[in-house]
Amino acid sequence: MTAADAAHRLPDVPTLRARCCAVPAAEALINPSGEYAYHVYSPEWSPTEEVFSVDNGSGDDYAVVFGPAGVYLRFFSHESVMSPWGDDEERPWPGILDTLPAVFRPYVDEPAFTEDGVPRLTGCIWRESADTRWHTGDIDFPENPENTDESDDADGADRLLGLLLEGTAEAFRDWAEDYYERPVDLDAVRRVFKDAA
C-alpha cells in the first residue's frame, strides 16, 4: 500500500480527527505518564491548528495537521528508497509535492517536519476543506528489483499508517500488546474508540 492507496482508505475528516484523538487516549491507558509516548495529539499546536503526531523512535514519523484550510498528512520512512536523502539532491521524490495546493505549502518547510531545511517526507496526502476526497501527488513509484512485498510499500505508507487506517479498538490492542509487551484491556480501549470507527 502506498500513499495513493491510503488516500482511498482514509475516512472523512471528523472520523479521522476522532481516530487521531482516540489513539493517544488509548495509549494513555497503558502509559499514563506519557513518557516516550508513541502517539501524541496536540490540540493547540498553533492558534488555529491541531496536530496528531507519531514517532517510532527509529527514524520514522508522521503527522496529521488539522487547520482551517483542511488536513495535511505527511509521513517519512527512513528506509524508503523515496527518502530525500536517497541521492545527492536531498529533495522530495518527484511528484509527491507537484500538485500540493498552495495553502498546504507552509507545512512542507515547517521546522517540525524538516531536517537541516530538507522536508522529511516520503509521502503526503491532503484534503482541502471543500474537497469530497483525499488527494496525493502523481507519483511514479520505484520498482523493487528483488520483487518482494516491499515494492507495495515503497513510500512507507503501509507500515506507518496501518493503525490509523484500520481505526479499530482491536487494531490498537494488537499494536499496543506488541509494542508494550503486555496484555491490554480491550473493553477499556473500545470505550475510547467508540466514536472513531
Side-chain angles (χ1 to χ4, degrees):
M1 178 178 64
T2 63
D5 303 312
H8 292 294
R9 293 185 51 198
L10 280 169
D12 60 28
V13 173
T15 303
L16 180 63
R17 181 182 277 113
R19 287 181 187 178
C20 289
C21 291
V23 170
E27 187 173 358
L29 297 171
I30 305 152
N31 178 11
S33 73
E35 188 174 9
Y36 306 114
Y38 196 98
H39 307 93
V40 176
Y41 192 80
S42 304
E44 297 176 353
W45 190 65
S46 83
T48 59
E49 297 157 317
E50 307 167 35
V51 171
F52 170 70
S53 58
V54 176
D55 186 338
N56 72 1
S58 298
D60 302 327
D61 62 87
Y62 74 91
V64 184
V65 182
F66 297 92
V71 181
Y72 172 81
L73 187 161
R74 43 98 22 221
F75 58 92
F76 176 73
S77 172
H78 79 284
E79 293 182 353
S80 170
V81 296
M82 295 174 63
S83 168
W85 292 277
D87 60 34
D88 294 336
E89 294 189 35
E90 295 188 352
R91 61 184 173 90
W93 187 267
I96 292 177
L97 299 173
D98 293 354
T99 58
L100 182 71
V103 294
F104 297 126
R105 287 281 170 179
Y107 300 132
V108 175
D109 298 316
E110 162 61 43
F113 308 145
T114 63
E115 185 173 325
D116 298 325
V118 178
R120 282 178 55 86
L121 60 82
T122 51
C124 76
I125 305 169
W126 63 87
R127 184 170 176 161
E128 290 187 82
S129 297
D131 283 344
T132 57
R133 66 180 183 88
W134 296 93
H135 302 273
T136 64
D138 185 14
I139 302 163
D140 285 330
F141 290 97
E143 292 184 20
N144 186 331
E146 289 83 30
N147 198 25
T148 67
D149 289 342
E150 292 178 9
S151 61
D152 293 335
D153 191 31
D155 57 7
D158 190 47
R159 197 169 39 80
L160 294 174
L161 306 180
L163 180 59
L164 191 62
L165 295 172
E166 190 69 29
T168 65
E170 291 77 10
F172 177 84
R173 187 261 328 265
D174 294 345
W175 171 85
E177 288 186 343
D178 180 62
Y179 185 75
Y180 285 98
E181 298 181 340
R182 63 179 187 226
V184 172
D185 181 345
L186 182 58
D187 288 336
V189 173
R190 281 181 175 148
R191 286 192 291 275
V192 173
F193 270 78
K194 64 180 170 40
D195 297 322

